[in-house]
């Protein structure tokens, strides 16, 4: 799966996720949430959906719409509670538009997304700074 960051629409979030990728934070983590026709979610080192890296991010809500392959930050009730967990939209989700920080888009591998399941493990995420994509 290859995705591109929206560094202009969500600069702080993009920088934070890039830093976590460079530090290998996501390598070996499991997908802790997978809901068909909705989202897959990862980024919790406890695998329960309640954990994170320990540094909250200020929301960067933007005009980007949730379409298939959109990548956004998961958060709690507090709009500034996102940490390291992110989700990938499996379909168009207009009810999430403007309510979560959208920071990326899958540009290759959309066909793989519906095949992912809760408990699947991330082998590794790498960063290509030449084109600001992660794969």
């Amino acid at each position: 799966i290859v995705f591109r960051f929206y560094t202009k629409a969500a600069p702080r979030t993009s920088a934070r996720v890039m830093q976590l990728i460079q530090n290998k934070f996501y390598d070996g983590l499991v997908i802790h949430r997978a809901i068909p026709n909705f989202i897959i979610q990862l980024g919790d080192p406890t695998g329960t959906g309640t954990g994170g890296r320990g540094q909250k991010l200020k929301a960067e809500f933007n005009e980007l719409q949730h379409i298939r392959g959109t990548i956004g930050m998961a958060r709690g009730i507090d709009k500034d509670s996102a940490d390291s967990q992110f989700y990938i939209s499996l379909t168009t989700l207009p009810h999430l538009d403007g309510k979560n920080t959208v920071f990326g888009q899958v540009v290759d591998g959309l066909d793989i997304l519906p095949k992912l399941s809760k408990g699947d493990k991330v082998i590794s995420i790498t960063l290509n700074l030449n084109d600001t994509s992660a794969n």
Side-chain angles (χ1 to χ4, degrees):
I1 299 170
V2 177
F3 65 89
R4 179 166 308 280
F5 285 93
Y6 292 133
T7 56
K8 290 181 182 167
R12 290 184 311 275
T13 302
S14 295
R16 171 67 188 284
V17 174
M18 286 181 198
Q19 178 186 43
L20 291 172
I21 290 169
Q22 288 177 310
N23 291 338
K24 306 290 185 196
F25 173 77
Y26 294 106
D27 295 4
L29 296 185
V30 298
I31 293 172
H32 64 270
R33 188 175 185 203
I35 303 172
N37 298 312
F38 184 50
I39 64 166
I40 59 167
Q41 188 170 320
L42 60 122
D44 173 7
T46 71
T48 64
T50 61
R53 182 73 172 137
Q55 180 182 352
K56 304 297 182 201
L57 291 168
K58 184 165 177 54
E60 294 179 293
F61 299 152
N62 50 53
E63 301 298 318
L64 297 168
Q65 296 180 330
H66 284 77
I67 60 172
R68 186 171 168 233
T70 294
I71 304 174
M73 292 303 288
R75 66 176 181 89
I77 295 171
D78 178 358
K79 68 178 180 125
D80 296 326
S81 63
D83 185 337
S84 58
Q85 292 186 40
F86 66 88
Y87 60 87
I88 304 174
S89 301
L90 299 176
T91 189
T92 301
L93 302 170
H95 66 283
L96 295 181
D97 293 349
K99 296 179 182 163
N100 294 72
T101 299
V102 172
F103 70 93
Q105 179 67 39
V106 172
V107 295
D108 189 27
L110 284 170
D111 57 318
I112 296 169
L113 296 177
K115 298 175 185 176
L116 297 173
S117 301
K118 182 177 179 177
D120 286 348
K121 189 178 284 192
V122 174
I123 296 169
S124 70
I125 299 178
T126 58
L127 190 63
N128 179 344
L129 294 176
N130 292 328
D131 66 4
T132 320
S133 294
N135 55 24

